[in-house]
Amino acid sequence: MPFTIDTEITCYLLPQDGPIAKQDFLMHLMDPGETWIIAYAFTLSDMIQDLLNAHAKGLPLHLYLDYSQSTGKTEQPLVKQLVAAGIEVTIGTSPAGSEFICHTKGIVSDPAANGGSLWCWEGSTNFSLSAWQQVNTAMVFSSQKWRDEFVAQFEALRQFAWTHERNLQLMSAPPKDEAKAPPASRKRYGLPAQ
């Protein structure tokens, strides 16, 4: 059963907590707020449909997906479906070198502008069908500091990918706010100052 570390963090230990962790995860994808996702594997069909539905409702979605997985036979058509629907998807590797992967599995949903509560998710669980039956962990929490750091990392990774890995992108043009990474994140990833 899920347990609470303190009043702000719920932890799931999989596979025992798999069904409830997956249900909680999917439920929050429809939160009424701007959402940032960094993912390694991205093949959970329920998640894809939820993101398409959220996008249809006008919710801003920002995805950064690992290149090595995005070209796979299962993931590639799903990613193309998201891009065709107009969802912002950036494909990338690691700023340490293209031979390295992006292995983060995290989400921030920030519905503050719509009166909702900040939702953060981090874990070893891939966003795939089998991950919920594997030995994995997931944490659900609310932290403004973590949100800010996660979004700053996302923005820097996105800018790095559009600057140095343009050939990996499926979108025809970069997102309109692609160059808004904060100065500290720009420096961390070797991006030029604005």
Side-chain angles (χ1 to χ4, degrees):
M1 294 297 297
F3 61 95
T4 303
I5 291 178
D6 62 28
T7 58
E8 300 294 321
I9 303 173
T10 300
C11 298
Y12 297 98
L13 298 176
L14 284 64
Q16 295 86 348
D17 297 336
I20 192 165
K22 180 181 171 188
Q23 180 182 356
D24 187 32
F25 172 80
L26 291 170
M27 177 187 71
H28 281 291
L29 289 178
M30 295 301 289
D31 282 354
E34 188 166 8
T35 300
W36 296 263
I37 300 173
I38 302 175
Y40 177 65
F42 207 72
T43 58
L44 183 59
S45 57
D46 293 348
M47 174 190 64
I48 301 299
Q49 190 56 55
D50 285 349
L51 292 173
L52 290 168
N53 293 341
H55 177 70
K57 291 180 179 180
L59 298 178
L61 301 171
H62 314 280
L63 282 62
Y64 185 90
L65 305 177
D66 175 67
Y67 171 69
S68 71
Q69 297 301 299
S70 70
T71 58
K73 68 178 184 173
T74 302
E75 187 168 325
Q76 188 174 44
L78 298 173
V79 174
K80 286 182 177 181
Q81 182 181 8
L82 295 170
V83 171
I87 295 174
E88 175 193 316
V89 177
T90 298
I91 307 294
T93 61
S94 168
S98 61
E99 68 272 23
F100 301 110
I101 61 174
C102 173
H103 204 240
T104 292
K105 297 99 172 179
I107 299 176
V108 165
S109 179
D110 191 351
N114 296 316
S117 299
L118 175 64
W119 178 75
C120 305
W121 187 98
E122 173 78 7
S124 64
T125 308
N126 283 318
F127 304 145
S128 67
L129 187 59
S130 63
W132 311 96
Q133 286 80 45
Q134 298 167 352
V135 176
N136 273 310
T137 58
M139 293 189 297
V140 177
F141 55 98
S142 179
S143 166
Q144 187 66 45
K145 181 159 180 55
W146 195 86
R147 175 252 184 244
D148 294 346
E149 292 294 330
F150 184 85
V151 171
Q153 179 187 44
F154 179 97
E155 290 171 346
L157 290 171
R158 178 177 63 187
Q159 185 172 351
F160 184 90
W162 280 97
T163 301
H164 300 288
E165 301 176 322
R166 185 114 187 195
N167 61 314
L168 304 181
Q169 306 314 313
L170 298 176
M171 292 173 38
S172 59
K176 64 181 182 330
D177 60 349
E178 153 290 310
K180 75 174 206 179
S185 294
R186 290 171 160 292
K187 185 176 181 180
R188 183 182 304 149
Y189 293 107
L191 296 166
Q194 282 187 304

